[in-house]
Amino acid sequence: CMYVCVCVTNLRSGCVPALVGCVLTVSLLGSIDPRRPISSGFSTPRASAWHQSVCPYTGKCTAAPDGYWGTDTVSRWLDQLEAQNQGMDIWSIHHYLDNKSCYFDRNNCIRNATLASIAAGRARQAGALLYVGEYGGQNPNFTGPSVQDQAFPAQMLQFQVADANSEGAFALSTIWAWECPTHREDMVCIWPKSTVPKEQGSARMISLLSDANAKLNPQSIGVGGISTA
């Protein structure tokens, strides 16, 4: 078990007090129960997170000529990731395939699961673990139905296994989503043994998850320790 402290997702000036409060809460939780790790529950910092921390929303920005929506370098983005997860045992990001996103270089955008590997590297340097609390393919086809739709979550699982094999920090992940009754009409989720056409990728996605689980933990059976046979 772990505690999840859901606070803020960007270090804009108006959010700093909330972040400070979260850090104090984490410190208090840790003093009461030092056995359980604590995670932030954060999403991924925006591609412009550092710019948004130093620039006004509109108008000239002395610190960054490209302004509020400028694209962060890898190092500045990682600094923001570390800052918003300060005091946490387990850093958190959420990452989906989004063809509109563009990290690090406008001429050579990073938007795939590589982002998790970059985040895991900094988490390891900080002595923390990384939890990808949500991930999936392009909205609304998060988990299928086609092999192409599943390429992003498959890559995320491959990165997690590879990171574990190198004793990295990428320890946990949660796919979006396993069954989703309130969103069944407007998105694609995993539904075991479903006969709905758009959910026909479920069996393959379960197989990918089970395979990753087996590689990460040879003692596991199926998904979440439950047989999927």
Side-chain angles (χ1 to χ4, degrees):
C1 296
M2 67 179 178
Y3 292 113
V4 178
C5 179
V6 180
C7 308
V8 299
T9 56
N10 293 287
L11 295 182
R12 292 169 294 196
S13 59
C15 296
V16 170
L19 180 61
V20 172
C22 186
V23 172
L24 292 174
T25 300
V26 168
S27 178
L28 176 61
L29 284 173
S31 67
I32 295 172
D33 186 354
R35 298 173 302 165
R36 290 180 174 84
I38 301 172
S39 181
S40 63
F42 284 142
S43 181
T44 305
R46 289 176 174 173
S48 53
W50 175 81
H51 283 74
Q52 293 182 10
S53 73
V54 298
C55 292
Y57 184 67
T58 59
K60 184 179 179 179
C61 179
T62 303
D66 47 351
Y68 186 83
W69 293 106
T71 302
D72 295 349
T73 62
V74 174
S75 62
R76 282 176 170 166
W77 182 84
L78 285 171
D79 288 345
Q80 292 298 107
L81 174 70
E82 183 167 1
Q84 72 177 30
N85 282 281
Q86 60 185 285
M88 306 295 173
D89 304 299
I90 303 175
W91 292 11
S92 171
I93 64 171
H94 300 167
H95 190 39
Y96 297 90
L97 177 62
D98 181 358
N99 291 330
K100 296 180 181 179
S101 67
C102 185
Y103 283 83
F104 312 137
D105 184 348
R106 283 288 177 185
N107 296 316
N108 188 25
C109 296
I110 296 294
R111 57 172 62 96
N112 61 12
T114 302
L115 202 71
S117 291
I118 293 172
R122 177 60 72 89
R124 183 178 183 180
Q125 291 177 13
L129 297 177
L130 179 71
Y131 173 35
V132 180
E134 295 179 15
Y135 70 95
Q138 185 81 29
N139 183 15
N141 296 332
F142 297 110
T143 60
S146 72
V147 172
Q148 182 178 357
D149 293 325
Q150 295 172 344
F152 181 90
Q155 184 187 50
M156 186 68 77
L157 291 169
Q158 290 167 3
F159 279 169
Q160 183 175 0
V161 171
D163 194 70
N165 289 338
S166 63
E167 298 183 350
F170 188 175
L172 302 165
S173 66
T174 308
I175 195 167
W176 184 271
W178 183 277
E179 301 185 348
C180 49
T182 60
H183 288 285
R184 197 167 190 176
E185 296 301 319
D186 55 45
M187 66 176 62
V188 178
C189 298
I190 300 170
W191 288 87
K193 300 181 180 179
S194 171
T195 58
V196 176
K198 71 175 185 177
E199 294 164 359
Q200 291 310 290
S202 294
R204 181 175 185 272
M205 197 67 247
I206 292 172
S207 178
L208 291 170
L209 290 165
S210 296
D211 182 61
N213 276 346
K215 292 175 179 176
L216 291 166
N217 178 14
Q219 302 302 316
S220 69
I221 303 174
V223 179
I226 301 174
S227 175
T228 57

